[in-house]
Amino acid sequence: MLLVTVFLVLLALAAAAGAFAAARRWKRPEAAQARVVLSGGGTGGHVNPALAIAEGIKAREPETRFLYIGVKNKAETVIVNKAGYELRYVCSEGYPGIRPSLETVRFLLKLALGIAQSIVILTEFTPRWIVATGGYVSAPVVMAAVLLKKLKIARVKIFLHEQNSIPGQLNALMGKWADKVLLTFPQTLSFFPKAAVVGYPIRHSIVPMSPEEARQNLSFQVPEGREIVFAFGGSQGARTINRAIVDALPFLFPHRKKLFIIHGSGLACSAGYNAADDTEKRIAKVLTPEQRSVLGDFYYRQDYFHKIAEIYSISSLIVCRSGAGSLNEISRIGKPVLLVPKANLPGDHQVMNARAMRNAGAAEILFEDTAMEKGGLLEYLNGQVLAEKILAMIEDRPRLQEMAEKSRDFLRRKAIERIISEIYEDKRFTDGNGHVAPFRDLVGNSRLLQMLSEAYAHSGPSFDPASVVEDPDDLAYYRHRAASLLSHKNWQDRNLGVKLIGLTKHLEKIPTLLQMLADRTPVDTVRRIFGGDFEQVGFIRRNIVNALTVMDWFDPEVEKHLFEAMEDPYFEVRVQACRTLAHFGTLLAGKNECVDRLQDRLDDGCFEVVIEAAKALGEIGTDWRAARALLSMNESHYWQVRNAALLGIKRMIERGVLDPSNKLIADISSFILTSTDFRPHFQIKETYAAIRKCSEGLKPGSYCRQGAADSNQVAGKIK
Amino acid sequence: MIFELCKFLAPYSASFSFFRLVNYITFRAIMAALTAVILIFIFSRHFILFVHRHCFLDQVRETGVHSACDKRGTPTMGGVLIIGAVLVSMALWGDWRNPFLLCSVAGMVWFGLLGLWDDVSKVRLKSGDKGLSERTKLFLQGLFSLIFAWVCVGPYAPLGSALATKVCVPFYKFPLGDIGPVLYGLFIFFFVVFVSNAVNITDGLDGLAITPSIFVVAVLGVFAYVEGNHIYSGYLHYAFLRGAGELMIFGAAFVGAGLGFLWYNAYPAQIFMGDTGSLAIGGTMAVMSVLLKQEFLFPLLGGLFIAEALSSQIQDKIGVKWIGRRIFYRAPLHHNLQHKGIAETKVVIRLWIVAGILALISLATLKLR
């Protein structure tokens, strides 16, 4: 016991001494040589800005010592070593999300270890500044620095550069502690209190040059007089883009005399996806041998281009992902782009980036679609769509020119100078916010659903989703996002997807919805015991039928499925199917099959179905047969059913298919009219409401502001 | 107080001898019920006014224009009246040294305060569905149930440890067996939490919760009288519980307060009991039936509450959240009946009748064993 105590006391003393010594160390180099820790990584998009900032500091203080802290075997290993900076590694891992799981535990352990490592490295190096460029790689370094600062050991300033328009969760957290957050997009200002908009620091090697000059630097031949399209998916490559561009080749083939495609397929070679291999295989699959033999004439593929500026310079159009890095590099050169943003990233930041560039007039956007392939969910982009888009853009020469100019304006120039001025606090480049576009957030799915359904409830059948989501690109993205929900495992998600597809009027997905409606895959036994039936659960089927009403779309295929839905085992589906038939009543009026089926439903065991079927008969029936069926319900147990039958007959009279003859009146009088339900009305509330109504628009309490006791005055003001 | 005073005075003089009446449980029960009912009649007008004024200060009416047929704006928290009347009445007529009484009062007050907290925060947040989070509510209910379960199976059990952990079922004379303190404690825990929430769910239409709870408490009061009476318990083959008779007085006070409340709560209601009332009533019924060893009678006696709670839970937890379909048209039970086209008043009266029948059947178990 004593030993342990002594040990603990000694440990505490040692820690205190260490802290004191470290604090002394930090004081010493204050005046002398500048030391800077750089951190951030995972992908080139995080490493390159860090290096660009380092270049900027070096230009100002050539004596500065740099230390790069990264994670082993990530992009920084290659890039930083090549750039010649000192590199040390710590442990860290991507943030797995808030849900408690094994991953979270591992993440926390690795983070704790990384923080400990960082503390050691930082006390050894005693930097003046820490420049973090985000990503999980810089998290332990920043946290260690914050810890040391809180303990009054370190005197270090933390700068965080955020490349994207929506910060990731770790960056949002770190931004609270950083001394200054440097932003690429002005839209991001709302996320951080201490921030400055500086732009994206671009590598020095990315400079605009003339196409002739660029051509000479290239390692491969590009024929003269062609429109060059450069497609790539970042340093690692993007499967969607790689596959889509290969799929587009057959459609671009007829235009091979005027096109040349340069394809950067990326370095990815993990177990899940080997970019080069997969691309080669796909080429062999989609092209005929004859086409392949002349492929080299208009297509060139390479894993990675070290001289990417040259490729940018000779291109007429660039097809790529909308990572902040790519966009800013392209903007530096000034080229039009066709963007394929990666969906479902934190805060949809690629979509936001893409939208920012499109709003600036420099880009067009294609959204990827989602499909089931080999049991897994896979994003894909239709090759034909891509090919058509490329051709359409290439052919519109003046517009392309205009886009190129807009693209050049998109970049926030002199980002590095701005950053340096922020770091050295001499404010030489701080200016206004540059191009400030009104910023609207993309909303989450549930919020979107709420907005759309409110609008739908308000405007009824004439509802148009464009009245809620004004930007057509946003709407396109929302539709895409809704469609991607349909293949989720969780039925709640699929249900949400179905509702959203209906409310956004995503008509292309109707066949998928109908397929889901007819899907009869049973759920697991446990759920069946409790009353479940099919994998596409009752709510989903009901909402699909409802979505057809919302989308207001009717064709023979829909009709067939609606008839099937009327036999569905779940009562709400049958109810909804009857309602939807009534909705399309004008199209179905007089159809015998429909009337037959509705008549069958009048014998349904569930009274809700009978009610809706009776109402639908009123919309669809055209002869005495329907009327007789309705009249036969005069002694139904439920008053709502009798009421619905009368409503149906009333509707038929209104539509002019039934004459209000004496016989009809006699028949109707056989209905049991007593009902067991009533609706109370409270007179005092009515009076109150009446007063409220006539004083609408009046400020509350305004009539007695001057203490006016005169009743005439009061009356006058109320008016 | 009156009880103590009379007991104190009775031996001193022959002219005080009629004070001996307080030794009769039946007399005190009647007096307690009358006191409670009169208290409610006296105070409810002021209380309704008080609540109304308070709501007026705290709550902004969202749209301004009230539809003429909805019931928003009705004062709530009527449970305070019920609890107050019972407490005052028991203070006058009860024997506060009786552990049965203490347990029941503790249950009523704890759940009442919990409901009051919920009601007040609902008014504060100006919303009917916010208020206390479900987790906090369950935690506090669970906390009481745990303490109560410990009291029941522990060394201070009012029942006496011989009987405490035995399982007694209706329609059968002898205890089925002893399941041990842990299992039995666990059972009590779930039972109390379930019953208190069941009343909360039932309290959805004017007068729907209060009348069936009057029936339940009245029957439990009869059981208390029988089990607390040496002769009757011997005759009907119940275990004699010394002091359980006090619960009859408590039950009578409760029935009185309930009747008084129904006066104002009958359709269309001038006041709602709120969570204050429903949780308190649920807590009281649960505690009483555990103390009287009638917890297995409760599913029959309070069958209405059980059906309401189960229908709501099945619809929500199994149907809507898990297998993705509705199992009933609507839930809980009374909304289902309304949905089928039965008017609110009719639903309420029919459910009263059902509750009355269940109470009669339960009463029959006194003899039918």
Side-chain angles (χ1 to χ4, degrees):
Chain A
M1 197 62 193
L2 193 71
L3 266 175
V4 174
T5 321
V6 170
F7 177 72
L8 282 178
V9 168
L10 280 178
L11 205 69
L13 278 178
F20 183 69
R24 291 280 308 247
R25 265 174 72 85
W26 241 290
K27 264 186 195 155
R28 206 158 13 94
E30 191 86 333
Q33 183 191 28
R35 290 153 177 270
V36 181
V37 161
L38 307 167
S39 182
T43 63
H46 289 302
V47 182
N48 285 329
L51 296 185
I53 295 171
E55 280 168 27
I57 297 176
K58 220 178 195 171
R60 185 135 166 182
E61 271 188 273
E63 292 301 304
T64 316
R65 260 190 73 192
F66 292 98
L67 173 67
Y68 201 104
I69 304 182
V71 169
K72 216 165 193 161
N73 293 331
K74 293 283 170 189
E76 52 266 30
T77 317
V78 185
I79 305 175
V80 174
N81 275 331
K82 202 174 170 199
Y85 292 103
E86 193 182 338
L87 177 63
R88 295 188 65 172
Y89 299 115
V90 292
C91 274
S92 187
E93 201 173 62
Y95 180 62
I98 201 85
R99 258 187 354 177
S101 67
L102 211 63
E103 273 92 64
T104 319
V105 175
R106 206 175 59 187
F107 163 76
L108 287 175
L109 282 179
K110 279 207 168 178
L111 188 65
L113 189 61
I115 292 175
Q117 286 171 321
S118 306
I119 289 178
V120 172
I121 296 175
L122 288 180
T123 42
E124 225 173 89
F125 190 72
T126 61
R128 189 198 287 175
W129 299 316
I130 291 175
V131 177
T133 47
Y136 61 89
V137 173
S138 52
V141 183
V142 170
M143 288 178 185
V146 170
L147 202 66
L148 290 174
K149 269 177 81 169
K150 286 266 150 83
L151 293 172
K152 306 253 184 238
I153 295 171
R155 300 173 163 209
V156 56
K157 279 202 160 174
I158 304 167
F159 297 94
L160 179 69
H161 187 266
E162 174 59 60
Q163 291 89 32
N164 291 303
S165 50
I166 303 283
Q169 277 163 311
L170 278 178
N171 278 12
L173 184 66
M174 288 192 289
K176 292 199 173 75
W177 301 323
D179 290 278
K180 197 95 193 187
V181 184
L182 310 167
L183 306 175
T184 308
F185 296 96
Q187 292 94 313
T188 329
L189 275 170
S190 57
F191 289 93
F192 299 107
K194 294 169 288 183
V197 184
V198 295
Y200 187 91
I202 292 165
R203 288 175 283 175
H204 275 191
S205 58
I206 308 283
V207 280
M209 59 185 88
S210 71
E212 294 76 34
E213 194 186 337
R215 250 169 225 279
Q216 282 164 10
N217 289 343
L218 283 182
S219 57
F220 56 95
Q221 281 301 309
V222 178
E224 296 277 341
R226 302 272 193 93
E227 297 284 0
I228 294 165
V229 178
F230 175 38
F232 75 109
S235 60
Q236 300 302 300
R239 179 171 50 201
T240 311
I241 290 185
N242 287 343
R243 290 191 175 171
I245 200 77
V246 173
D247 291 350
L249 286 178
F251 302 100
L252 296 173
F253 199 76
H255 306 273
R256 64 181 180 279
K257 289 285 171 267
K258 62 174 183 187
L259 272 180
F260 191 83
I261 292 157
I262 302 175
H263 181 189
S265 57
L267 296 164
C269 54
S270 65
Y273 179 65
N274 185 327
D277 210 39
D278 187 79
T279 307
E280 289 299 334
K281 271 190 202 146
R282 204 155 179 106
I283 289 177
K285 203 172 107 189
V286 299
L287 292 180
T288 60
E290 300 88 68
Q291 283 176 330
R292 250 180 287 153
S293 62
V294 290
L295 184 63
D297 287 352
F298 86 119
Y299 175 84
Y300 176 79
R301 191 191 70 78
Q302 192 172 310
D303 288 353
Y304 183 77
F305 294 99
H306 284 284
K307 290 180 177 170
I308 201 160
E310 279 79 355
I311 313 268
Y312 285 149
S313 298
I314 58 168
S315 306
S316 313
L317 175 67
I318 296 169
V319 181
C320 65
R321 286 283 196 212
S322 52
S326 309
L327 294 198
N328 280 285
E329 286 184 3
I330 291 165
S331 167
R332 178 88 176 92
I333 310 287
K335 291 291 172 186
V337 266
L338 174 56
L339 295 171
V340 187
K342 188 166 172 55
N344 296 321
L345 288 175
D348 286 317
H349 68 249
Q350 281 218 350
V351 179
M352 304 299 285
N353 293 347
R355 217 169 54 161
M357 191 138 180
R358 188 190 54 85
N359 287 344
E364 300 235 351
I365 303 175
L366 273 184
F367 288 109
E368 44 184 18
D369 215 333
T370 325
M372 292 289 278
E373 191 176 296
K374 289 176 202 152
L377 207 58
L378 217 55
E379 292 86 26
Y380 80 96
L381 181 63
N382 190 317
Q384 189 178 356
V385 173
L386 179 64
E388 277 162 12
K389 191 85 185 169
I390 289 175
L391 288 173
M393 287 179 81
I394 288 288
E395 263 147 36
D396 195 353
R397 205 57 242 169
R399 170 149 165 69
L400 219 52
Q401 198 59 44
E402 191 193 342
M403 283 174 77
E405 271 156 32
K406 295 268 173 65
S407 170
R408 210 165 291 129
D409 292 339
F410 178 67
L411 176 69
R412 184 166 284 273
R413 308 251 153 217
K414 301 201 183 283
I416 294 182
E417 285 83 345
R418 276 174 225 268
I419 291 172
I420 300 302
S421 82
E422 286 291 344
I423 292 178
Y424 283 94
E425 290 175 353
D426 50 10
K427 308 280 173 198
R428 247 184 287 169
F429 277 95
T430 333
D431 62 2
N433 282 342
H435 50 273
V436 185
F439 184 67
R440 283 167 296 109
D441 254 331
L442 283 170
V443 297
N445 277 332
S446 39
R447 173 82 190 109
L448 178 69
L449 177 68
Q450 198 190 343
M451 285 160 56
L452 286 170
S453 36
E454 268 167 25
Y456 179 69
H458 202 252
S459 58
S462 61
F463 166 74
D464 182 9
S467 64
V468 180
V469 186
E470 275 138 19
D471 191 324
D473 278 306
D474 285 5
L475 190 58
Y477 176 65
Y478 288 141
R479 281 177 177 159
H480 155 74
R481 206 167 61 180
S484 72
L485 286 173
L486 288 187
S487 35
H488 276 209
K489 219 174 142 43
N490 188 327
W491 71 260
Q492 282 90 347
D493 289 340
R494 294 200 301 271
N495 192 24
L496 182 64
V498 166
K499 288 189 207 165
L500 283 174
I501 282 178
L503 286 167
T504 54
K505 300 207 168 183
H506 192 7
L507 299 178
E508 289 96 84
K509 284 287 163 188
I510 287 181
T512 321
L513 290 188
L514 294 180
Q515 210 182 330
M516 282 170 78
L517 181 61
D519 183 11
R520 286 291 179 262
T521 324
V523 282
D524 51 69
T525 329
V526 186
R527 285 180 203 223
R528 274 213 301 283
I529 290 170
F530 282 98
D533 38 29
F534 308 122
E535 201 59 60
Q536 309 299 348
V537 301
F539 284 161
I540 292 184
R541 301 199 302 274
R542 177 196 68 190
N543 289 332
I544 288 174
V545 179
N546 185 40
L548 294 173
T549 322
V550 177
M551 290 194 275
D552 207 9
W553 183 261
F554 194 78
D555 59 24
E557 195 62 17
V558 170
E559 184 183 344
K560 194 185 110 202
H561 281 89
L562 279 180
F563 286 161
E564 265 168 39
M566 286 175 76
E567 316 285 331
D568 197 278
Y570 180 43
F571 71 92
E572 279 197 296
V573 182
R574 302 198 296 272
V575 169
Q576 194 58 53
C578 292
R579 254 182 228 156
T580 306
L581 284 182
H583 176 82
F584 296 121
T586 42
L587 300 169
L588 284 164
K591 269 199 183 175
N592 267 331
E593 192 190 0
C594 189
V595 175
D596 283 344
R597 282 172 184 273
L598 283 173
Q599 268 188 0
D600 287 348
R601 285 301 111 217
L602 290 182
D603 299 328
D604 201 286
C606 161
F607 79 99
E608 282 190 357
V609 181
V610 182
I611 292 171
E612 293 304 329
K615 285 187 194 161
L617 260 185
E619 297 287 340
I620 291 164
T622 45
D623 49 12
W624 262 99
R625 195 161 63 103
R628 259 199 304 277
L630 291 176
L631 285 170
S632 73
M633 297 197 304
N634 58 352
E635 288 174 359
S636 166
H637 175 71
Y638 295 99
W639 70 267
Q640 295 110 311
V641 172
R642 302 194 299 266
N643 185 41
L646 288 175
L647 277 176
I649 291 170
K650 176 168 159 265
R651 188 79 193 106
M652 283 173 79
I653 295 172
E654 280 170 2
R655 282 168 50 228
V657 294
L658 202 64
D659 288 327
S661 60
N662 282 337
K663 180 174 180 327
L664 184 70
I665 303 299
D667 285 340
I668 284 178
S669 65
S670 69
F671 269 78
I672 302 177
L673 294 183
T674 52
S675 75
T676 50
D677 200 6
F678 65 95
R679 195 172 293 165
H681 70 102
F682 303 113
Q683 221 168 11
I684 184 166
K685 288 194 179 180
E686 277 173 10
T687 317
Y688 172 78
I691 297 174
R692 289 293 296 233
K693 208 166 189 182
C694 64
S695 66
E696 236 163 48
L698 202 72
K699 273 185 201 156
S702 63
Y703 68 90
C704 54
R705 189 174 294 155
Q706 279 102 33
D710 186 356
S711 61
N712 281 336
Q713 216 174 328
V714 172
K717 287 209 174 180
I718 286 178
K719 266 181 190 164
Chain B
M1 260 182 310
I2 294 180
F3 170 68
E4 299 293 338
L5 195 69
C6 294
K7 252 178 103 170
F8 175 74
L9 288 178
Y12 281 96
S13 154
S15 57
F16 289 151
S17 64
F18 67 91
F19 285 150
R20 275 177 297 121
L21 268 175
V22 296
N23 287 332
Y24 296 99
I25 281 175
T26 39
F27 172 74
R28 280 200 286 144
I30 291 165
M31 291 316 285
L34 285 177
T35 313
V37 109
I38 289 166
L39 279 173
I40 293 219
F41 283 158
I42 293 172
F43 286 107
S44 49
R45 271 181 60 84
H46 305 280
F47 182 78
I48 290 171
L49 214 57
F50 170 78
V51 173
H52 176 72
R53 281 184 188 149
H54 228 72
C55 286
F56 218 59
L57 284 178
D58 280 339
Q59 226 167 3
V60 180
R61 296 184 174 180
E62 324 84 60
T63 49
V65 182
H66 269 226
S67 99
C69 56
D70 70 12
K71 284 191 242 160
R72 274 178 307 172
T74 308
T76 180
M77 286 188 238
V80 174
L81 267 181
I82 303 178
I83 299 172
V86 172
L87 282 183
V88 173
S89 169
M90 286 318 288
L92 295 177
W93 300 103
D95 175 6
W96 286 83
R97 280 158 297 193
N98 185 302
F100 287 94
L101 180 64
L102 286 179
C103 282
S104 308
V105 167
M108 184 174 76
V109 171
W110 179 295
F111 281 93
L113 287 178
L114 177 57
L116 188 65
W117 185 11
D118 193 28
D119 279 336
V120 169
S121 51
K122 269 181 195 165
V123 173
R124 282 260 166 79
L125 297 169
K126 291 161 194 160
S127 144
D129 37 47
K130 284 178 194 162
L132 268 192
S133 77
E134 201 162 321
R135 209 182 300 166
T136 330
K137 237 194 225 174
L138 264 182
F139 171 74
L140 288 173
Q141 289 170 340
L143 189 64
F144 175 82
S145 316
L146 267 183
I147 298 171
F148 178 60
W150 177 78
V151 169
C152 281
V153 299
Y156 307 110
L159 295 169
S161 44
L163 197 63
T165 57
K166 293 241 168 60
V167 176
C168 300
V169 293
F171 301 112
Y172 186 68
K173 270 197 194 71
F174 308 103
L176 277 186
D178 198 320
I179 55 172
V182 177
L183 261 183
Y184 191 74
L186 210 63
F187 168 75
I188 291 178
F189 172 78
F190 284 115
F191 179 75
V192 174
V193 170
F194 183 80
V195 170
S196 58
N197 283 314
V199 181
N200 197 354
I201 288 166
T202 311
D203 179 31
L205 299 177
D206 294 352
L208 180 57
I210 189 70
T211 310
S213 16
I214 291 175
F215 288 150
V216 171
V217 174
V219 170
L220 286 175
V222 173
F223 272 89
Y225 184 67
V226 168
E227 289 176 45
N229 186 306
H230 208 336
I231 302 163
Y232 287 140
S233 62
Y235 171 61
L236 292 168
H237 293 289
Y238 276 95
F240 170 58
L241 301 175
R242 184 175 299 280
E246 203 66 22
L247 279 185
M248 185 193 179
I249 300 163
F250 178 79
F254 188 94
V255 168
L259 285 174
F261 181 74
L262 183 61
W263 186 277
Y264 297 93
N265 186 234
Y267 183 90
Q270 284 159 280
I271 187 163
F272 294 149
M273 67 168 74
D275 282 359
T276 322
S278 60
L279 286 179
I281 291 173
T284 312
M285 293 195 307
V287 170
M288 276 179 83
S289 41
V290 169
L291 286 177
L292 294 169
K293 293 262 37 134
Q294 297 303 331
E295 58 273 35
F296 288 97
L297 180 67
F298 191 84
L300 178 66
L301 176 58
L304 175 66
F305 299 110
I306 304 284
E308 293 268 1
L310 279 184
S311 61
S312 156
Q313 290 302 305
I314 288 172
Q315 177 85 325
D316 186 52
K317 298 277 153 31
I318 294 182
V320 174
K321 295 243 169 78
W322 186 44
I323 60 171
R325 59 167 290 173
R326 288 217 171 103
I327 292 174
F328 309 107
Y329 289 122
R330 294 285 183 278
L333 180 62
H334 54 265
H335 284 321
N336 194 35
L337 294 176
Q338 270 192 304
H339 179 73
K340 283 186 168 174
I342 307 174
E344 178 178 345
T345 41
K346 199 166 219 133
V347 170
V348 172
I349 292 174
R350 284 188 178 169
L351 291 180
W352 286 357
I353 295 171
V354 171
I357 293 170
L358 289 174
L360 284 178
I361 298 174
S362 308
L363 211 51
T365 62
L366 271 177
K367 190 73 189 137
L368 291 178
R369 303 208 306 162

